[in-house]
Amino acid sequence: MTDDRSDVAAATTREAVAAVAAASATWAAGPYADRARVIRAIADALDSAADDLITTAREETRLPEARLAGELKRTTFQLRLFADVAEDGAFLDVRIDRPDADWPMGAPRPDLRRMLVPIGPVLVFAASNFPFAFSVAGGDTAAALAAGNAVLVKAHSGHPRLSDATAAVISSAARSAGAPDDLVRVIHGTENGVAALRDPAIKAASFTGSIAGGRALFDIANARPEPIPFYGELGSVNPAFVAPTAASRRADEIAQGYLGSITGSRGQLCTKPGLLLVPAESPVLATLRDAEVPDSAPLLNDRIQQGFVEGLTSMSEHHAVSVLRGGSDSIADPPGTTLLFTTVDEVLNDPDALITEVFGPAGLVVSYEDPEKLPELARVLDGQLTATIVADEDAAGDIALARTLVPILTEKAGRILWNQWPTGVSVTHAQQHGGPYPATTAPTTTAVGTASITRFLRPVSFQNFPGALLPDALRDGNPLGFPQQIDG
Ligand code: NAP
């Protein structure tokens, strides 16, 4: 980019941040019912524009129509769910402590009233692999809006036209529903994303993508004169542990389920179970090798294709790795489905090389002779989004193994599954899509589900305030009818 063009881009980014900051202040001050109404209007407008949006998404992402239609449905469902949350008011976590002269800490308790307030303008780095659900109108945008913040989206370079088209639908619907202008704005360009992240008006940022990119942006967010929360969802291998009895009784079902999970969306899912532990000589291995898999299809974009080829090549070249299934098309464009193979002892010898995410239709199958090795392997894992146990409840050996694994996996992962596969993340109240680093940079929060609203809120306590100056949610008599936790 020439200096002139980068000056223009920087000015455009500054203007976009300022506009979003102005909208954020107005939006935060408005009634909660208005937030819900506007968010529902946005969802309705996106549904109405589905045909055009899906056509553009197909052109830019190479994802099939059915997958995109399902994803858009999930996205508008997600928006409506957050509208319900905004209206219900429980997300404010209102706590009221009435004054108590005999408070046992040894000094009287003052009147204290605590609630969560909007954190301020939010910057969202959109993901490549979910052009709707983790992009301009995605989960972080929905959560930030419901929390009372306007949103600046750094569009992913993999779907720039779709990003603009989605933003246009949102803006028009939001304006018609009475929202401030610039409630959601989009910017493009890697450097502009960085400039926006450095802008003092931005108060929180979220990200879905690579470990390298997420870590670089996390470091920038923390190096600001005013550091801000940076909710990065980065990389995860999502190990799946198959216990001996389940493997012997349900080999076909397990192998088919696994193959379905690693080939769905061509393996381009952050929850793809990239590491499968199975007993040596298990019949699961034969089905994994021979079962039908979907035809090859192109990956999202050239960058993802290149990353897949590099990751798979590097792992295949490891001296302890052989090929269980796959051939010359493994690293073709589009790539076939590949399963690499090694043993648990080899993984324990070189975990850094072998426990690593390969984003695309591939997995590493790891055999074990001794189930005692599974907890050993679980202990060397880095932070994960998910960990899966496949076991039979009526088999004492499987249950004993699971009892050992669960506490270790609870330390390592954000979601632990029993006899289900981790792809297909449901948008619900109890969902947890996060985990210790490098799964995320913020293990205390989730990227999916209504609990993600806390990412974009900040607690404030009001001490000894007259009722007339308190926010409505904290007043005596509870004029909003929101849940209040009252002590005293
Ligand atoms: P990415 O390269 O990390 O890019 C994600 C976003 O961050 C893009 O907007 C990108 O900008 C920006 N970005 C990346 N590095 C940056 C840097 N150093 N400075 C400033 N901005 C930066 O992720 P991707 O393109 O989606 O996919 C690449 C790899 O990420 C995949 O192969 C996969 O391994 C991983 N991935 C993980 C998940 C997950 O859910 N954890 C999801 C998707 C991908 P530009 O678009 O302008 O380059």
Side-chain angles (χ1 to χ4, degrees), residues 125-129 154-157 189-190 194 207-210 213-214 216-217 233-235 270 303-304 357 359:
F125 286 83
S128 56
N129 56 340
K154 154 57 179 80
H156 194 279
S157 51
T190 318
V194 173
F207 168 95
T208 310
S210 64
L217 292 167
E233 189 204 320
L234 316 183
C270 45
R303 183 157 86 190
I304 300 274
E357 184 180 24
F359 199 70

Side-chain angles (χ1 to χ4, degrees), residues 66-281:
R67 151 71 206 268
L68 289 166
E71 190 188 325
L72 181 55
K73 196 170 164 199
R74 166 201 173 130
T75 304
T76 54
F77 166 78
Q78 190 163 252
L79 282 159
R80 293 187 182 100
L81 196 62
F82 275 104
D84 296 345
V85 168
E87 214 165 39
D88 162 80
F91 77 98
L92 297 175
D93 192 21
V94 169
R95 295 155 189 244
I96 297 177
D97 291 343
R98 297 201 193 285
D100 183 349
D102 301 321
W103 188 237
M105 74 169 257
R109 179 174 79 181
D111 184 290
L112 275 168
R113 296 167 187 242
R114 183 185 194 269
M115 68 180 288
L116 302 180
V117 300
I119 196 164
V122 172
L123 174 64
V124 173
F125 286 83
S128 56
N129 56 340
F130 281 93
F132 292 118
F134 286 75
S135 191
V136 178
D140 280 327
T141 298
L145 291 177
N149 312 288
V151 179
L152 181 65
V153 180
K154 154 57 179 80
H156 194 279
S157 51
H159 51 271
R161 285 191 294 117
L162 177 67
S163 303
D164 285 339
T166 307
V169 172
I170 293 175
S171 293
S172 156
R175 201 176 302 119
S176 302
D181 285 346
D182 304 305
L183 187 61
V184 177
R185 277 277 290 266
V186 165
I187 55 169
H188 298 268
T190 318
E191 286 172 24
N192 295 333
V194 173
L197 184 59
R198 290 198 169 115
D199 195 301
I202 293 295
K203 297 300 179 195
S206 71
F207 168 95
T208 310
S210 64
I211 293 181
R215 181 66 207 221
L217 292 167
F218 171 82
D219 289 341
I220 289 169
N222 281 283
R224 290 171 30 134
E226 179 197 351
I228 52 170
F230 183 86
Y231 304 108
E233 189 204 320
L234 316 183
S236 187
V237 174
N238 306 301
F241 299 83
V242 182
T245 305
S248 65
R249 288 181 184 163
R250 301 188 279 130
D252 272 7
E253 175 209 319
I254 292 166
Q256 301 277 4
Y258 180 72
L259 287 168
S261 192
I262 67 159
T263 57
S265 296
R266 304 304 296 142
Q268 301 164 110
L269 298 173
C270 45
T271 52
K272 181 194 76 170
L275 197 69
L276 181 73
L277 287 119
V278 290
E281 317 299 334

Side-chain angles (χ1 to χ4, degrees), residues 472-482 484:
D472 289 348
L474 296 181
R475 286 198 184 152
D476 288 339
N478 197 2
L480 295 178
F482 287 173
Q484 292 181 331

